[in-house]
Amino acid sequence: MTDPIAATAPEPTASVDGIAAELRGAVDSGLTRPRAYREQQLDGLVAMLLQHASLWEAALKADLGKSEIEAHLTEIGFVVAEARAAKRSLRRWMAPTRVAAPLALQPAAARSVPEPLGATLIIAPWNYPLHLALAPLVGAIAAGNAAVVKPSEVAPATSRLLAQLAPAHLDPRSVRIVEGGVAETTALLEQRWDLIFYTGNARVARVVAAAAAKHLTPTVLELGGKSPVYVHRSADIPAAARRIAWGKWINAGQTCVAPDHIRVDREVADELVEQLRIATAEQLGDARTSPDFARIINDGHVERLRGLLGGSTVVTGGDVDADTRYVAPTILTDVDEAAPVMQEEIFGPILPVLPVDGVDGFIGAMRGRDKPLALYVFARDRDAVRRVERETSSGGLGINVAVAQVGAAGLPFGGVGESGSGAYHGRHSFEAFSHRKAVLSKSTSLDTLRVIYPPFTELRGRIAKRILG
């Protein structure tokens, strides 16, 4: 067996021709529909993660420099919890939902019935290469679909291990792992799928959406954007700094819902910057030697981040070591709105802090910008919180918390506009991978529909108008 954590490019899959039709056949045959089969697959997914936890830890360390605890907190444990919760809830989720039939159709029974969409394609990113490949798969399995998972070639160790372990724990008749790069992804997108679930950036999402449109295939697009933080003058500044620092530095800032930048009321800006510096030192110490601080995924992203450091004041950090893919946790002040760091999603451990003049200043800064995947407000003033909630739009909103909202399985996770479309997690994953079929049942023993059959006499017309009105 080859080294399961070798950080080499994944082997391209020999051929993906016809794989969508093949997997659709498994669904059409009824293989994936029984609840027992879905539960068995979810159990297999959990076993694959827990029985080989040390291998997953090593793969994530090789790809992203993740610590053992971070690997469990943000990847392994998250998916295990999601799969177990889905199994516990499956009977309830699969049950038809009764709907009241209107008077005009009585006597009748109406219900919506969840059914599998069919053959689904999941295209995963590199920043959480295990979590974001398998969390959507939980929804696909729970809803009774077959799925291809295309892990990111940019995280080769995790991709390789997933391809090696999945066939032993998941039924290859309904779940396949396809490794490779652009060529393999392009070949997959040329086929007709019943749902495409893509996590990544908006540029590639447009390619995915265009490919899906050729077959009128529905999509779930989980993207990102510049997720802002607003710190109001009423906030508990030390607590806000600790929570923002944690949310920003986890995975070295390579998180789609990480705080991208902070806008803070001018009168507390200096205090916040100092508390951020203190919180960073408390949580990471010397980040270069901290086992809890991850590394940047590759050389290209290291250089991209290096290019975002200029033109501002570095309060702390600023160090870059390309040989070890290390970019220090960096806090910037005196940031110009036109600076490169404010023009693109940072996706790394660089945190600009910009002063604003109150809630009006923050809301004004948000106007005309793309709607972010997440927005965070730190305030004890309830009116300030209410205004931010009411007058801004984002995929999710965290109040006095950063990033942790992702762990609330009952909440939908998804974007709006440029930050994505569709949502998942918990029951929302099941619904994302399901079609709700409308079913109306009416006995023929009493034909109450006669009133709407032509010819329309004056009496029938009056009765119909009364019933329908």
Side-chain angles (χ1 to χ4, degrees), residues 57-263:
E57 293 164 9
L60 292 165
K61 181 76 172 178
D63 284 332
L64 286 152
K66 292 196 179 193
S67 68
E68 176 184 330
I69 298 300
E70 186 171 329
H72 280 271
L73 179 67
T74 65
E75 306 242 22
I76 302 168
F78 188 99
V79 178
V80 167
E82 190 90 347
R84 285 175 169 168
K87 182 183 175 183
R88 288 195 303 270
S89 305
L90 203 50
R91 181 189 296 272
R92 177 165 47 88
W93 292 352
M94 292 175 64
T97 301
R98 294 180 62 85
V99 178
L103 177 63
L105 297 177
Q106 293 290 357
R111 64 190 187 278
S112 72
V113 180
E115 63 179 17
L117 286 168
T120 63
L121 172 62
I122 298 166
I123 304 174
W126 52 261
N127 59 320
Y128 289 88
L130 186 63
H131 171 165
L132 296 177
L134 297 185
L137 181 61
V138 169
I141 291 171
N145 297 280
V148 161
V149 177
K150 168 60 183 67
S152 174
E153 71 278 12
V154 182
T158 305
S159 176
R160 179 69 54 81
L161 187 58
L162 186 56
Q164 290 175 348
L165 295 182
H169 294 275
L170 300 168
D171 188 347
R173 294 176 295 174
S174 62
V175 176
R176 304 280 182 84
I177 310 299
V178 172
E179 289 195 281
V182 173
E184 287 72 26
T185 303
T186 301
L188 288 169
L189 288 173
E190 288 173 351
Q191 300 179 48
R192 182 173 70 85
W193 299 92
D194 299 299
L195 176 75
I196 299 175
F197 191 111
Y198 169 76
T199 305
N201 62 58
R203 178 183 58 81
V204 177
R206 286 176 166 79
V207 175
V208 172
K214 294 177 182 178
H215 302 288
L216 296 180
T217 298
T219 59
V220 175
L221 303 174
E222 298 294 346
L223 311 178
K226 293 184 73 64
S227 296
V229 180
Y230 172 52
V231 180
H232 186 260
R233 60 184 175 274
S234 69
D236 181 332
I237 300 298
R242 290 192 296 271
R243 295 180 182 189
I244 294 168
W246 173 78
K248 179 63 174 182
W249 309 139
I250 195 168
N251 200 32
Q254 299 165 114
T255 304
C256 57
V257 291
D260 181 88
H261 59 283
I262 299 174
R263 297 184 187 273

Side-chain angles (χ1 to χ4, degrees), residues 332-348:
L332 301 178
T333 58
D334 303 317
V335 181
D336 192 296
E337 290 280 2
V341 75
M342 293 303 295
Q343 303 308 305
E344 64 178 67
E345 183 178 5
I346 296 170
F347 222 66

Side-chain angles (χ1 to χ4, degrees), residues 268-315:
V268 294
D270 290 343
E271 181 186 359
L272 177 67
V273 169
E274 176 60 15
Q275 289 298 323
L276 283 168
R277 187 191 63 77
I278 292 170
T280 300
E282 288 177 347
Q283 293 176 16
L284 297 175
D286 181 357
R288 187 187 299 269
T289 59
S290 171
D292 300 317
F293 187 66
R295 293 299 183 262
I296 305 305
I297 186 68
N298 60 28
D299 296 343
H301 281 281
V302 170
E303 293 309 311
R304 179 185 64 82
L305 291 167
R306 190 199 298 272
L308 300 181
L309 292 172
S312 304
T313 299
V314 176
V315 174

